[in-house]
Amino acid sequence: MRDFAYARAGSAASAVAALDGPRTSVIAGGTELLNWFRLGIAAADRVVDIGGLDDLRGITSDGDELRIGALATLNEIGEHPLVTRTAGALASACLQAASAQIRNRATIGGNVLQRTRCPYFRAEEPLPWPCSKRAPGSGCASLAGRHERQAIFGWTADCVAVQPSDPAVALAALDAQAEVLGPGGPRTIPMREFHLTQQEAADLGDPARETRLGPAELITGYRIPARADEGQAYVKVRERASYEYAIVSAAAAVRSTGNGSTGNRIAAGRVALGSVAQRPWRLDAAEAGLPGTPLTREALIPVIERALAAAAPLPQNGFKVIMARNAAVRALLLAGGAQ
């Protein structure tokens, strides 16, 4: 651990001003940043604490939208009646993340900014192997090593890691917008576009970039369309039921005809996969084919399989294509009330 200066921000604007300086980091819950410091993933000369900014807290209804402050904790979101009623997939994703103790500290603003859990990346410095995220351009040890949990979409030879956030998958499926404040003022970023795959980052000329957030920008909250006429679900496939990251996950929202019996059909649906790429992966092709599809496993499987045809699994993780298909189908059935 290296020494750093510590200060408390008096406002979101003052935090942004501090971020505009060299080697400055923001801390809220601290469940991720301090791990970065310990492992040597990141270093800062100054840390600005935004945990006392009450205007970044709160969960409220604003017309036909749900607004969640960036400092709302995962447990607060998962247990809040407004969220469970209008954004059930997000509530479920929050409560399936980490452990109860960590969820009491971890914030929704920080959670979506967590880094990959790739063991080659998460090793203590000095690294005994190449990792382009730690040493840009050095290569990817996972590509030639263990990569069962890595990406099946959007990866490059420089990196095959995935984004591990559970809430990010639900936010992407629910068409949420991140509210961001930076030196140029406020703006919004669609959560389905917030993260970047390795290929998207390379196309932008910055292979190390992981999000569309600017270097001095701060997430202040999220806005989520409140759709009372749809069911939602979040399915997380993992090796154990607590304190474990997803091998694959899926968030779905479904508006169906009727009361959810097997004779019902999907009127409209949205589905996003998690832990298959460096961003939540919306299945746009499947969504286009969902209207009119019966709410049965047999009818949904070919729709999802067509959307997964573009997957590019690595030698050790082809099973994730089948697992992703099954998770998406399961999430759609649950969201539609069929199971």
Side-chain angles (χ1 to χ4, degrees):
M1 184 71 80
R2 299 180 177 89
D3 291 340
F4 54 83
Y6 170 86
R8 291 184 178 179
S11 66
S14 66
V16 168
L19 276 174
D20 216 12
R23 289 172 60 88
T24 300
S25 296
V26 163
I27 190 169
T31 59
E32 177 74 318
L33 182 67
L34 297 181
N35 279 325
W36 296 352
F37 288 173
R38 176 178 61 84
L39 294 171
I41 292 170
D45 294 329
R46 181 169 55 164
V47 171
V48 178
D49 191 342
I50 63 170
L53 301 182
D54 288 340
D55 56 341
L56 299 189
R57 299 186 184 280
I59 300 170
T60 58
S61 178
D62 185 6
D64 58 356
E65 290 183 320
L66 177 68
R67 190 189 184 278
I68 300 176
L71 293 184
T73 68
L74 300 190
N75 269 345
E76 289 171 345
I77 296 167
E79 296 170 354
H80 199 286
L82 277 177
V83 184
T84 57
R85 187 167 64 249
T86 62
L90 178 60
S92 180
C94 286
L95 292 181
Q96 292 186 61
S99 66
Q101 295 91 334
I102 290 177
R103 292 196 301 270
N104 279 331
R105 289 288 303 169
T107 65
I108 189 70
N111 179 272
V112 303
L113 295 174
Q114 65 181 292
R115 307 290 298 277
T116 179
R117 314 312 294 190
C118 173
Y120 297 99
F121 170 77
R122 288 272 170 174
E124 291 187 23
E125 63 177 352
L127 292 186
W129 45 64
C131 175
S132 290
K133 287 188 180 299
R134 300 283 293 271
S138 63
C140 177
S142 183
L143 187 59
R146 299 288 298 274
H147 49 248
E148 299 96 324
R149 287 176 169 259
Q150 307 291 38
I152 58 174
F153 292 104
W155 57 271
T156 67
D158 283 330
C159 181
V160 295
V162 299
Q163 163 56 235
S165 169
D166 291 301
V169 182
L171 289 167
L174 300 184
D175 290 331
Q177 300 271 336
E179 297 180 323
V180 171
L181 181 64
R187 70 182 181 112
T188 60
I189 305 173
M191 281 306 295
R192 64 174 297 167
E193 301 173 4
F194 183 87
H195 296 92
L196 297 167
T197 68
Q198 292 89 339
Q199 187 59 61
E200 289 168 340
D203 291 344
L204 291 174
D206 187 0
R209 190 173 179 182
E210 296 182 11
T211 74
R212 297 186 188 276
L213 199 66
E217 287 187 319
L218 181 72
I219 298 174
T220 58
Y222 303 88
R223 288 192 175 273
I224 306 168
R227 299 184 173 106
D229 62 342
E230 66 181 18
Q232 298 179 12
Y234 182 72
V235 172
K236 182 175 182 177
V237 182
R238 47 187 167 172
E239 291 182 348
R240 60 188 183 198
S242 178
Y243 200 36
E244 180 65 284
Y245 293 92
I247 301 173
V248 162
S249 64
V254 169
R255 180 164 55 85
S256 60
T257 59
N259 60 13
S261 68
T262 56
N264 290 338
R265 295 177 180 269
I266 294 175
R270 303 185 305 284
V271 60
L273 297 174
S275 295
V276 298
Q278 197 172 253
R279 64 167 167 84
W281 198 263
R282 279 281 289 267
L283 294 178
D284 293 322
E287 293 177 17
L290 285 175
T293 302
L295 263 169
T296 65
R297 175 179 172 82
E298 293 74 21
L300 289 171
I301 283 177
V303 176
I304 300 300
E305 285 182 337
R306 286 192 293 271
L308 290 172
L314 296 159
Q316 298 168 16
N317 71 358
F319 70 92
K320 290 185 76 169
V321 178
I322 299 172
M323 192 174 285
R325 180 202 69 187
N326 292 345
V329 168
R330 177 70 172 157
L332 286 165
L333 290 172
L334 289 171
Q339 289 192 11

